[in-house]
Amino acid sequence: MFDNLSDKLDRAFKVLKGQGSITEINVAETMKEIRKAMLDADVNYKTAKAFTDEVKQKALGENVLTSISPGQLLTKIMSDELTQLMGGTTAELTFPATPTIILIAGLNGAGKTTFSGKLALFLKTQKGKKPLLVADDVYRPAAIEQLKVLGEQIGVPVYANLESKDPVAIALEGLAQAKQNGNNVLIIDTAGRLAVDEAMMVEIEQVKKALNPHEILFVVDAMTGQDAVNTAKVFNDRLDFTGAVLTKLDGDTRGGAALSIKSVVNKPIKFIGTGEKMEALDVFHPDRMSSRILGMGDVISLVERAQQQFDEKEAAELQKKIRKNKFDFNDFYGQIQQIKKMGNMKDLMGMIPGVGKAMKDIDIQDDAFKSIEAIIQSMTPKEKENPDIINQSRRMRIAKGSGNELAEVNRLIKQFDDMRKMMKQFSNPAQMAKMMKNMPKQGR
């Protein structure tokens, strides 16, 4: 996500590297490179020009402190301006009524139906809501079936009427059911087209008029770049939507849509899709995204993802086991599953300051844990609970059963033993104090 843009911005900042001061000449050269990088990322031309003009003006108006370099100062100005460009502040959903009605709009292929399911799961697990999904695409039976499958997968009810071809009537029926069943959020997945057409616009306008939704979310495929912004403008002119949703930001996207939408339609981005899993939906934070684009990581989002997956009670139990040196392969396997739920590994690494840039050319597969999981699954229940009993003959059997070389099994068990010893030391305050005391002091 934004790797190409980040790399080009980094090269642009090198123009100022080693410079003792900010001048009209070196700033102009840097801004030229930054504007080029933004246009390559498919950012709207007017947006890119206005942005670089603003950054240039602020950079030339700043006095460089002796404690920071011109490059550092420009990075700070860029970060602030990127944040403003993408909306400035986080725009959360509002829930002014029961049920709160959320209308989902967009073209076919943008990911409306998947997003509807992800949003329902997000509201259910993160906001404590009781959502109802409405299958309001009367043209594609596959979309209705997809929503039903997603609803069953996440434990959220879906209202559909296969006999009706009237999207307004279906939406109103869904609203009636939500009120009857006590659902406090109604998510309506509307029909899309391959391109914007008048019939689609009239139809969704009619649904809007009949239900008077509290939120209208425009779903757009981030990989379509500038086309996404143009489509957003057409939809906004007709629907006056409350926010945009960028899907497929985990793909090979140049990021132009994220940087252009707010300035072109003056509507905030509210959510971003970061993967195929139903949990892969994030609230859009302009400041955090700015930090990631500039290669400074996003530790806050990383911590939030971890908090969503790790249960406090389970963590306390795990800590007890670690103190007693009872941490086993069952616990290790469970930790791997929780990490996998946080998102793809390269995306997670990109949230750690400095790591994303260092790993930009390293391909980390989504199945990075596959070999480790296979080895653990090839162990008997007794071996998982008692790692110390895994002797050479058992290791050979595990290697054969998991499809791995014996060396791979030996390596994993060695790493597991080392990790277990370290975890035990870190969980014991007295032991940690002793270690710190015995560490060599500088200057001795």
Side-chain angles (χ1 to χ4, degrees):
M1 180 166 60
F2 296 111
D3 286 348
N4 194 38
L5 176 60
S6 300
D7 194 38
K8 288 182 177 178
L9 289 177
D10 188 48
R11 287 205 294 269
F13 287 139
K14 285 179 181 174
V15 173
L16 283 174
K17 197 170 185 181
Q19 299 285 333
S21 63
I22 283 180
T23 68
E24 181 93 33
I25 294 173
N26 60 31
V27 166
E29 190 179 348
T30 303
M31 287 305 105
K32 182 181 175 182
E33 292 299 315
I34 289 173
R35 187 179 301 163
K36 185 180 176 183
M38 293 179 78
L39 293 175
D40 285 345
D42 214 8
V43 175
N44 177 274
Y45 175 78
K46 290 181 180 177
T47 300
K49 186 177 186 309
F51 175 81
T52 49
D53 287 348
E54 184 69 19
V55 172
K56 179 181 177 181
Q57 185 180 343
K58 290 194 174 179
L60 291 173
E62 290 275 1
N63 292 318
V64 182
L65 301 174
T66 55
S67 59
I68 63 171
S69 69
Q72 290 170 328
L73 176 63
L74 190 62
T75 300
K76 172 66 171 66
I77 294 170
M78 275 284 291
S79 177
D80 292 344
E81 290 303 310
L82 274 175
T83 299
Q84 289 304 313
L85 182 64
M86 292 185 286
T89 57
T90 304
E92 298 262 12
L93 289 181
T94 57
F95 304 94
T98 302
T100 292
I101 303 169
I102 302 174
L103 189 66
I104 311 298
L107 297 179
N108 273 351
K112 292 192 311 301
T113 302
T114 301
F115 167 70
S116 297
K118 286 182 175 183
L119 179 61
L121 179 63
F122 172 83
L123 295 178
K124 176 185 173 184
T125 58
Q126 305 300 319
K127 301 295 182 182
K129 300 294 182 182
K130 187 182 176 185
L132 172 68
L133 287 159
V134 176
D136 207 27
D137 186 342
V138 297
Y139 306 104
R140 290 197 310 129
I144 299 173
E145 188 57 35
Q146 181 188 358
L147 198 63
K148 285 182 176 179
V149 170
L150 292 176
E152 187 174 342
Q153 184 180 330
I154 62 177
V156 171
V158 176
Y159 178 80
N161 184 347
L162 296 174
E163 304 301 318
S164 175
K165 294 295 180 184
D166 184 347
V168 174
I170 294 171
L172 289 171
E173 290 165 9
L175 177 58
Q177 179 152 319
K179 290 178 179 178
Q180 182 180 329
N181 295 346
N183 299 103
N184 50 19
V185 178
L186 187 70
I187 302 171
I188 304 170
D189 178 30
T190 63
R193 301 285 197 283
L194 294 175
V196 176
D197 64 32
E198 184 61 20
M200 174 180 71
M201 286 301 175
V202 169
E203 186 176 282
I204 198 165
E205 281 176 328
Q206 290 172 342
V207 175
K208 176 188 174 183
K209 185 177 179 181
L211 276 86
N212 193 24
H214 305 95
E215 295 270 3
I216 301 175
L217 299 180
F218 172 69
V219 180
V220 61
D221 181 348
M223 295 179 72
T224 57
Q226 197 52 48
D227 285 342
V229 180
N230 297 333
T231 308
K233 190 174 186 314
V234 175
F235 270 83
N236 190 55
D237 289 345
R238 298 291 289 267
L239 292 176
D240 190 24
F241 58 72
T242 57
V245 177
L246 292 181
T247 61
K248 307 177 188 177
L249 266 177
D250 57 314
D252 185 21
T253 174
R254 289 181 285 175
L259 297 177
S260 303
I261 276 185
K262 178 64 170 65
S263 66
V264 173
V265 299
N266 197 29
K267 294 295 168 65
I269 299 168
K270 294 203 172 186
F271 290 97
I272 53 173
T274 56
E276 295 180 5
K277 295 176 182 177
M278 294 306 290
E279 297 86 2
L281 181 71
D282 290 339
V283 171
F284 184 73
H285 299 278
D287 55 339
R288 301 183 194 179
M289 187 58 71
S290 168
S291 181
R292 293 186 68 178
I293 289 172
L294 294 173
M296 297 186 289
D298 182 4
V299 175
I300 297 172
S301 291
L302 183 62
V303 171
E304 284 180 354
R305 285 199 196 182
Q307 286 174 334
Q308 289 168 14
Q309 298 302 331
F310 289 83
D311 182 85
E312 280 189 36
K313 188 177 179 183
E314 287 181 12
E317 290 296 321
L318 195 61
Q319 194 171 20
K320 286 181 186 176
K321 293 188 77 171
I322 291 169
R323 282 176 182 162
K324 295 177 181 178
N325 206 28
K326 296 291 184 182
F327 184 80
D328 59 29
F329 275 111
N330 287 318
D331 302 314
F332 185 42
Y333 187 84
Q335 296 298 295
I336 290 173
Q337 302 316 304
Q338 289 179 320
I339 291 170
K340 284 171 66 176
K341 286 180 183 177
M342 288 171 63
N344 72 70
M345 288 304 296
K346 193 157 189 176
D347 186 37
L348 295 177
M349 292 292 186
M351 292 182 178
I352 303 171
V355 174
K357 196 177 290 184
M359 301 189 70
K360 65 183 176 67
D361 296 323
I362 300 173
D363 186 27
I364 302 176
Q365 299 295 326
D366 283 344
D367 60 355
F369 293 112
K370 191 174 180 180
S371 176
I372 296 172
E373 289 173 312
I375 292 172
I376 296 173
Q377 288 168 342
S378 296
M379 296 176 183
T380 65
K382 190 175 180 181
E383 288 167 345
K384 291 175 188 174
E385 291 175 11
N386 303 280
D388 295 333
I389 70 168
I390 305 177
N391 56 24
Q392 189 67 10
S393 63
R394 288 176 183 267
R395 294 183 187 202
M396 291 174 69
R397 191 205 76 248
I398 291 167
K400 188 175 180 181
S402 65
N404 285 280
E405 298 291 331
L406 178 61
E408 289 296 316
V409 177
N410 288 336
R411 187 179 298 114
L412 175 62
I413 293 175
K414 171 73 165 58
Q415 289 172 340
F416 176 80
D417 286 339
D418 291 343
M419 180 183 68
R420 195 162 53 156
K421 288 172 187 173
M422 188 179 295
M423 289 167 78
K424 190 173 188 302
Q425 286 178 332
F426 276 102
S427 70
N428 188 329
Q431 184 70 20
M432 275 295 294
K434 187 177 179 182
M435 285 173 60
M436 294 295 289
K437 188 177 180 181
N438 293 331
M439 284 179 69
K441 301 282 192 301
Q442 285 189 342
R444 282 188 179 180

